[in-house]
PDB file of all heavy atoms in Angstrom:
ATOM      1  N   ASN E 101     187.432 -38.988 102.151  1.00 98.00           N
ATOM      2  CA  ASN E 101     186.056 -39.451 102.383  1.00 98.00           C
ATOM      3  C   ASN E 101     185.543 -38.831 103.682  1.00 98.00           C
ATOM      4  O   ASN E 101     185.367 -39.492 104.706  1.00 98.00           O
ATOM      5  CB  ASN E 101     186.045 -40.983 102.458  1.00 98.00           C
ATOM      6  CG  ASN E 101     184.651 -41.571 102.484  1.00 98.00           C
ATOM      7  OD1 ASN E 101     183.675 -40.886 102.171  1.00 98.00           O
ATOM      8  ND2 ASN E 101     184.554 -42.831 102.872  1.00 98.00           N
ATOM      9  N   ALA E 102     185.291 -37.529 103.648  1.00 98.00           N
ATOM     10  CA  ALA E 102     185.151 -36.733 104.862  1.00 98.00           C
ATOM     11  C   ALA E 102     183.936 -37.077 105.708  1.00 98.00           C
ATOM     12  O   ALA E 102     183.921 -36.793 106.907  1.00 98.00           O
ATOM     13  CB  ALA E 102     185.104 -35.248 104.491  1.00 98.00           C
ATOM     14  N   ASN E 103     182.897 -37.692 105.125  1.00 98.00           N
ATOM     15  CA  ASN E 103     181.692 -37.966 105.901  1.00 98.00           C
ATOM     16  C   ASN E 103     181.626 -39.398 106.424  1.00 98.00           C
ATOM     17  O   ASN E 103     180.605 -39.803 106.996  1.00 98.00           O
ATOM     18  CB  ASN E 103     180.445 -37.628 105.080  1.00 98.00           C
ATOM     19  CG  ASN E 103     180.174 -36.128 105.086  1.00 98.00           C
ATOM     20  OD1 ASN E 103     179.797 -35.561 106.106  1.00 98.00           O
ATOM     21  ND2 ASN E 103     180.413 -35.481 103.949  1.00 98.00           N
ATOM     22  N   HIS E 104     182.700 -40.166 106.290  1.00 98.00           N
ATOM     23  CA  HIS E 104     182.791 -41.452 106.976  1.00 98.00           C
ATOM     24  C   HIS E 104     183.003 -41.193 108.464  1.00 98.00           C
ATOM     25  O   HIS E 104     183.742 -40.278 108.839  1.00 98.00           O
ATOM     26  CB  HIS E 104     183.958 -42.262 106.406  1.00 98.00           C
ATOM     27  CG  HIS E 104     184.016 -43.666 106.936  1.00 98.00           C
ATOM     28  ND1 HIS E 104     184.443 -43.971 108.202  1.00 98.00           N
ATOM     29  CD2 HIS E 104     183.687 -44.856 106.344  1.00 98.00           C
ATOM     30  CE1 HIS E 104     184.380 -45.277 108.393  1.00 98.00           C
ATOM     31  NE2 HIS E 104     183.927 -45.835 107.266  1.00 98.00           N
ATOM     32  N   PRO E 105     182.361 -41.955 109.364  1.00 98.00           N
ATOM     33  CA  PRO E 105     182.488 -41.679 110.800  1.00 98.00           C
ATOM     34  C   PRO E 105     183.924 -41.586 111.308  1.00 98.00           C
ATOM     35  O   PRO E 105     184.233 -40.733 112.157  1.00 98.00           O
ATOM     36  CB  PRO E 105     181.750 -42.866 111.442  1.00 98.00           C
ATOM     37  CG  PRO E 105     180.740 -43.274 110.413  1.00 98.00           C
ATOM     38  CD  PRO E 105     181.408 -43.037 109.084  1.00 98.00           C
ATOM     39  N   ILE E 106     184.809 -42.439 110.791  1.00 98.00           N
ATOM     40  CA  ILE E 106     186.208 -42.411 111.251  1.00 98.00           C
ATOM     41  C   ILE E 106     186.896 -41.126 110.788  1.00 98.00           C
ATOM     42  O   ILE E 106     187.632 -40.488 111.546  1.00 98.00           O
ATOM     43  CB  ILE E 106     186.974 -43.644 110.720  1.00 98.00           C
ATOM     44  CG1 ILE E 106     186.369 -44.935 111.274  1.00 98.00           C
ATOM     45  CG2 ILE E 106     188.456 -43.534 111.069  1.00 98.00           C
ATOM     46  CD1 ILE E 106     186.441 -45.051 112.779  1.00 98.00           C
ATOM     47  N   VAL E 107     186.646 -40.732 109.547  1.00 98.00           N
ATOM     48  CA  VAL E 107     187.284 -39.531 109.015  1.00 98.00           C
ATOM     49  C   VAL E 107     186.689 -38.285 109.670  1.00 98.00           C
ATOM     50  O   VAL E 107     187.399 -37.307 109.928  1.00 98.00           O
ATOM     51  CB  VAL E 107     187.153 -39.485 107.478  1.00 98.00           C
ATOM     52  CG1 VAL E 107     187.926 -38.291 106.910  1.00 98.00           C
ATOM     53  CG2 VAL E 107     187.669 -40.781 106.862  1.00 98.00           C
ATOM     54  N   ARG E 108     185.391 -38.315 109.957  1.00 98.00           N
ATOM     55  CA  ARG E 108     184.775 -37.210 110.692  1.00 98.00           C
ATOM     56  C   ARG E 108     185.464 -37.009 112.027  1.00 98.00           C
ATOM     57  O   ARG E 108     185.768 -35.879 112.425  1.00 98.00           O
ATOM     58  CB  ARG E 108     183.283 -37.482 110.901  1.00 98.00           C
ATOM     59  CG  ARG E 108     182.432 -37.321 109.660  1.00 98.00           C
ATOM     60  CD  ARG E 108     181.067 -37.972 109.806  1.00 98.00           C
ATOM     61  NE  ARG E 108     180.355 -37.509 111.002  1.00 98.00           N
ATOM     62  CZ  ARG E 108     179.243 -38.103 111.454  1.00 98.00           C
ATOM     63  NH1 ARG E 108     178.741 -39.161 110.828  1.00 98.00           N
ATOM     64  NH2 ARG E 108     178.628 -37.629 112.523  1.00 98.00           N
ATOM     65  N   ARG E 109     185.724 -38.103 112.738  1.00 98.00           N
ATOM     66  CA  ARG E 109     186.406 -38.011 114.035  1.00 98.00           C
ATOM     67  C   ARG E 109     187.812 -37.444 113.862  1.00 98.00           C
ATOM     68  O   ARG E 109     188.255 -36.607 114.659  1.00 98.00           O
ATOM     69  CB  ARG E 109     186.463 -39.396 114.680  1.00 98.00           C
ATOM     70  CG  ARG E 109     187.266 -39.453 115.989  1.00 98.00           C
ATOM     71  CD  ARG E 109     186.566 -38.731 117.117  1.00 98.00           C
ATOM     72  NE  ARG E 109     185.297 -39.341 117.446  1.00 98.00           N
ATOM     73  CZ  ARG E 109     185.171 -40.403 118.271  1.00 98.00           C
ATOM     74  NH1 ARG E 109     186.240 -40.950 118.826  1.00 98.00           N
ATOM     75  NH2 ARG E 109     183.988 -40.899 118.533  1.00 98.00           N
ATOM     76  N   LEU E 110     188.505 -37.893 112.828  1.00 98.00           N
ATOM     77  CA  LEU E 110     189.855 -37.388 112.562  1.00 98.00           C
ATOM     78  C   LEU E 110     189.840 -35.876 112.356  1.00 98.00           C
ATOM     79  O   LEU E 110     190.658 -35.139 112.926  1.00 98.00           O
ATOM     80  CB  LEU E 110     190.417 -38.078 111.313  1.00 98.00           C
ATOM     81  CG  LEU E 110     191.732 -37.510 110.761  1.00 98.00           C
ATOM     82  CD1 LEU E 110     192.893 -37.899 111.661  1.00 98.00           C
ATOM     83  CD2 LEU E 110     191.971 -37.999 109.333  1.00 98.00           C
ATOM     84  N   ILE E 111     188.903 -35.386 111.541  1.00 98.00           N
ATOM     85  CA  ILE E 111     188.845 -33.965 111.227  1.00 98.00           C
ATOM     86  C   ILE E 111     188.529 -33.144 112.470  1.00 98.00           C
ATOM     87  O   ILE E 111     189.196 -32.141 112.767  1.00 98.00           O
ATOM     88  CB  ILE E 111     187.807 -33.712 110.112  1.00 98.00           C
ATOM     89  CG1 ILE E 111     188.294 -34.309 108.787  1.00 98.00           C
ATOM     90  CG2 ILE E 111     187.531 -32.215 109.956  1.00 98.00           C
ATOM     91  CD1 ILE E 111     187.255 -34.288 107.675  1.00 98.00           C
ATOM     92  N   VAL E 112     187.524 -33.552 113.229  1.00 98.00           N
ATOM     93  CA  VAL E 112     187.146 -32.794 114.425  1.00 98.00           C
ATOM     94  C   VAL E 112     188.269 -32.826 115.455  1.00 98.00           C
ATOM     95  O   VAL E 112     188.571 -31.809 116.094  1.00 98.00           O
ATOM     96  CB  VAL E 112     185.834 -33.338 115.014  1.00 98.00           C
ATOM     97  CG1 VAL E 112     185.545 -32.683 116.364  1.00 98.00           C
ATOM     98  CG2 VAL E 112     184.679 -33.074 114.054  1.00 98.00           C
ATOM     99  N   ASP E 113     188.912 -33.972 115.637  1.00 98.00           N
ATOM    100  CA  ASP E 113     190.032 -34.052 116.583  1.00 98.00           C
ATOM    101  C   ASP E 113     191.175 -33.135 116.160  1.00 98.00           C
ATOM    102  O   ASP E 113     191.827 -32.504 117.006  1.00 98.00           O
ATOM    103  CB  ASP E 113     190.545 -35.495 116.685  1.00 98.00           C
ATOM    104  CG  ASP E 113     189.636 -36.372 117.534  1.00 98.00           C
ATOM    105  OD1 ASP E 113     188.708 -35.833 118.170  1.00 98.00           O
ATOM    106  OD2 ASP E 113     189.857 -37.606 117.563  1.00 98.00           O
ATOM    107  N   SER E 114     191.418 -33.050 114.859  1.00 98.00           N
ATOM    108  CA  SER E 114     192.470 -32.162 114.368  1.00 98.00           C
ATOM    109  C   SER E 114     192.130 -30.706 114.677  1.00 98.00           C
ATOM    110  O   SER E 114     192.975 -29.950 115.175  1.00 98.00           O
ATOM    111  CB  SER E 114     192.656 -32.353 112.861  1.00 98.00           C
ATOM    112  OG  SER E 114     193.519 -31.369 112.322  1.00 98.00           O
ATOM    113  N   LEU E 115     190.898 -30.302 114.383  1.00 98.00           N
ATOM    114  CA  LEU E 115     190.493 -28.924 114.646  1.00 98.00           C
ATOM    115  C   LEU E 115     190.599 -28.604 116.142  1.00 98.00           C
ATOM    116  O   LEU E 115     191.044 -27.514 116.526  1.00 98.00           O
ATOM    117  CB  LEU E 115     189.068 -28.691 114.149  1.00 98.00           C
ATOM    118  CG  LEU E 115     188.864 -28.835 112.630  1.00 98.00           C
ATOM    119  CD1 LEU E 115     187.379 -28.725 112.293  1.00 98.00           C
ATOM    120  CD2 LEU E 115     189.660 -27.793 111.861  1.00 98.00           C
ATOM    121  N   ARG E 116     190.170 -29.551 116.992  1.00 98.00           N
ATOM    122  CA  ARG E 116     190.280 -29.330 118.433  1.00 98.00           C
ATOM    123  C   ARG E 116     191.736 -29.128 118.851  1.00 98.00           C
ATOM    124  O   ARG E 116     192.045 -28.269 119.675  1.00 98.00           O
ATOM    125  CB  ARG E 116     189.713 -30.536 119.179  1.00 98.00           C
ATOM    126  CG  ARG E 116     188.204 -30.646 119.186  1.00 98.00           C
ATOM    127  CD  ARG E 116     187.805 -31.941 119.846  1.00 98.00           C
ATOM    128  NE  ARG E 116     186.362 -32.069 120.001  1.00 98.00           N
ATOM    129  CZ  ARG E 116     185.767 -33.202 120.390  1.00 98.00           C
ATOM    130  NH1 ARG E 116     186.506 -34.287 120.642  1.00 98.00           N
ATOM    131  NH2 ARG E 116     184.453 -33.246 120.514  1.00 98.00           N
ATOM    132  N   TYR E 117     192.627 -29.915 118.278  1.00 98.00           N
ATOM    133  CA  TYR E 117     194.049 -29.797 118.610  1.00 98.00           C
ATOM    134  C   TYR E 117     194.579 -28.404 118.290  1.00 98.00           C
ATOM    135  O   TYR E 117     195.248 -27.772 119.114  1.00 98.00           O
ATOM    136  CB  TYR E 117     194.836 -30.855 117.842  1.00 98.00           C
ATOM    137  CG  TYR E 117     196.340 -30.639 117.872  1.00 98.00           C
ATOM    138  CD1 TYR E 117     197.076 -30.924 119.017  1.00 98.00           C
ATOM    139  CD2 TYR E 117     197.015 -30.149 116.754  1.00 98.00           C
ATOM    140  CE1 TYR E 117     198.450 -30.734 119.053  1.00 98.00           C
ATOM    141  CE2 TYR E 117     198.380 -29.953 116.781  1.00 98.00           C
ATOM    142  CZ  TYR E 117     199.095 -30.243 117.928  1.00 98.00           C
ATOM    143  OH  TYR E 117     200.457 -30.040 117.956  1.00 98.00           O
ATOM    144  N   TRP E 118     194.244 -27.898 117.105  1.00 98.00           N
ATOM    145  CA  TRP E 118     194.774 -26.593 116.709  1.00 98.00           C
ATOM    146  C   TRP E 118     194.172 -25.458 117.532  1.00 98.00           C
ATOM    147  O   TRP E 118     194.813 -24.428 117.752  1.00 98.00           O
ATOM    148  CB  TRP E 118     194.534 -26.361 115.216  1.00 98.00           C
ATOM    149  CG  TRP E 118     195.412 -27.238 114.368  1.00 98.00           C
ATOM    150  CD1 TRP E 118     195.056 -28.386 113.728  1.00 98.00           C
ATOM    151  CD2 TRP E 118     196.803 -27.056 114.112  1.00 98.00           C
ATOM    152  NE1 TRP E 118     196.136 -28.935 113.084  1.00 98.00           N
ATOM    153  CE2 TRP E 118     197.225 -28.135 113.290  1.00 98.00           C
ATOM    154  CE3 TRP E 118     197.736 -26.105 114.476  1.00 98.00           C
ATOM    155  CZ2 TRP E 118     198.532 -28.273 112.847  1.00 98.00           C
ATOM    156  CZ3 TRP E 118     199.042 -26.232 114.020  1.00 98.00           C
ATOM    157  CH2 TRP E 118     199.430 -27.303 113.224  1.00 98.00           C
ATOM    158  N   VAL E 119     192.951 -25.654 118.039  1.00 98.00           N
ATOM    159  CA  VAL E 119     192.332 -24.635 118.896  1.00 98.00           C
ATOM    160  C   VAL E 119     192.839 -24.747 120.332  1.00 98.00           C
ATOM    161  O   VAL E 119     193.258 -23.762 120.950  1.00 98.00           O
ATOM    162  CB  VAL E 119     190.801 -24.750 118.857  1.00 98.00           C
ATOM    163  CG1 VAL E 119     190.150 -23.892 119.946  1.00 98.00           C
ATOM    164  CG2 VAL E 119     190.276 -24.324 117.490  1.00 98.00           C
ATOM    165  N   GLU E 120     192.804 -25.951 120.884  1.00 97.00           N
ATOM    166  CA  GLU E 120     193.092 -26.128 122.310  1.00 97.00           C
ATOM    167  C   GLU E 120     194.587 -26.135 122.623  1.00 97.00           C
ATOM    168  O   GLU E 120     195.013 -25.606 123.653  1.00 97.00           O
ATOM    169  CB  GLU E 120     192.455 -27.420 122.810  1.00 97.00           C
ATOM    170  CG  GLU E 120     190.935 -27.402 122.732  1.00 97.00           C
ATOM    171  CD  GLU E 120     190.292 -28.701 123.182  1.00 97.00           C
ATOM    172  OE1 GLU E 120     190.972 -29.760 123.122  1.00 97.00           O
ATOM    173  OE2 GLU E 120     189.124 -28.678 123.591  1.00 97.00           O
ATOM    174  N   SER E 121     195.395 -26.705 121.745  1.00 97.00           N
ATOM    175  CA  SER E 121     196.828 -26.812 122.017  1.00 97.00           C
ATOM    176  C   SER E 121     197.655 -25.730 121.333  1.00 97.00           C
ATOM    177  O   SER E 121     198.687 -25.318 121.857  1.00 97.00           O
ATOM    178  CB  SER E 121     197.350 -28.194 121.575  1.00 97.00           C
ATOM    179  OG  SER E 121     196.726 -29.223 122.306  1.00 97.00           O
ATOM    180  N   MET E 122     197.196 -25.271 120.153  1.00 97.00           N
ATOM    181  CA  MET E 122     197.975 -24.300 119.391  1.00 97.00           C
ATOM    182  C   MET E 122     197.345 -22.912 119.387  1.00 97.00           C
ATOM    183  O   MET E 122     197.931 -21.957 118.908  1.00 97.00           O
ATOM    184  CB  MET E 122     198.158 -24.788 117.946  1.00 97.00           C
ATOM    185  CG  MET E 122     198.739 -26.187 117.859  1.00 97.00           C
ATOM    186  SD  MET E 122     200.375 -26.325 118.599  1.00 97.00           S
ATOM    187  CE  MET E 122     201.374 -26.012 117.169  1.00 97.00           C
ATOM    188  N   HIS E 123     196.105 -22.804 119.899  1.00 97.00           N
ATOM    189  CA  HIS E 123     195.450 -21.524 120.200  1.00 97.00           C
ATOM    190  C   HIS E 123     195.112 -20.684 118.967  1.00 97.00           C
ATOM    191  O   HIS E 123     195.061 -19.453 119.048  1.00 97.00           O
ATOM    192  CB  HIS E 123     196.314 -20.701 121.174  1.00 97.00           C
ATOM    193  CG  HIS E 123     196.779 -21.474 122.357  1.00 97.00           C
ATOM    194  ND1 HIS E 123     195.900 -22.020 123.280  1.00 97.00           N
ATOM    195  CD2 HIS E 123     198.026 -21.821 122.768  1.00 97.00           C
ATOM    196  CE1 HIS E 123     196.599 -22.657 124.207  1.00 97.00           C
ATOM    197  NE2 HIS E 123     197.877 -22.566 123.921  1.00 97.00           N
ATOM    198  N   VAL E 124     194.857 -21.349 117.820  1.00 97.00           N
ATOM    199  CA  VAL E 124     194.429 -20.574 116.659  1.00 97.00           C
ATOM    200  C   VAL E 124     192.994 -20.115 116.866  1.00 97.00           C
ATOM    201  O   VAL E 124     192.245 -20.657 117.692  1.00 97.00           O
ATOM    202  CB  VAL E 124     194.561 -21.380 115.350  1.00 97.00           C
ATOM    203  CG1 VAL E 124     195.980 -21.877 115.151  1.00 97.00           C
ATOM    204  CG2 VAL E 124     193.563 -22.513 115.285  1.00 97.00           C
ATOM    205  N   ASP E 125     192.583 -19.106 116.115  1.00 97.00           N
ATOM    206  CA  ASP E 125     191.285 -18.465 116.316  1.00 97.00           C
ATOM    207  C   ASP E 125     190.216 -18.930 115.337  1.00 97.00           C
ATOM    208  O   ASP E 125     189.041 -18.606 115.507  1.00 97.00           O
ATOM    209  CB  ASP E 125     191.446 -16.949 116.198  1.00 97.00           C
ATOM    210  CG  ASP E 125     192.468 -16.418 117.190  1.00 97.00           C
ATOM    211  OD1 ASP E 125     192.118 -16.278 118.368  1.00 97.00           O
ATOM    212  OD2 ASP E 125     193.624 -16.180 116.782  1.00 97.00           O
TER     213      ASP E 125
END
């Protein structure tokens, strides 16, 4: 349910993790 506010936060936090901590492009 990707457009629920909680799931939206989960998705964006995940993407930030892979960019900021794992350095993917």
Side-chain angles (χ1 to χ4, degrees):
N101 189 15
N103 281 290
H104 187 285
I106 297 298
V107 185
R108 286 164 54 191
R109 175 70 63 84
L110 171 73
I111 292 172
V112 172
D113 283 351
S114 171
L115 296 174
R116 285 175 175 171
Y117 167 75
W118 289 101
V119 169
E120 296 178 336
S121 298
M122 306 299 268
H123 311 298
V124 304
D125 303 282

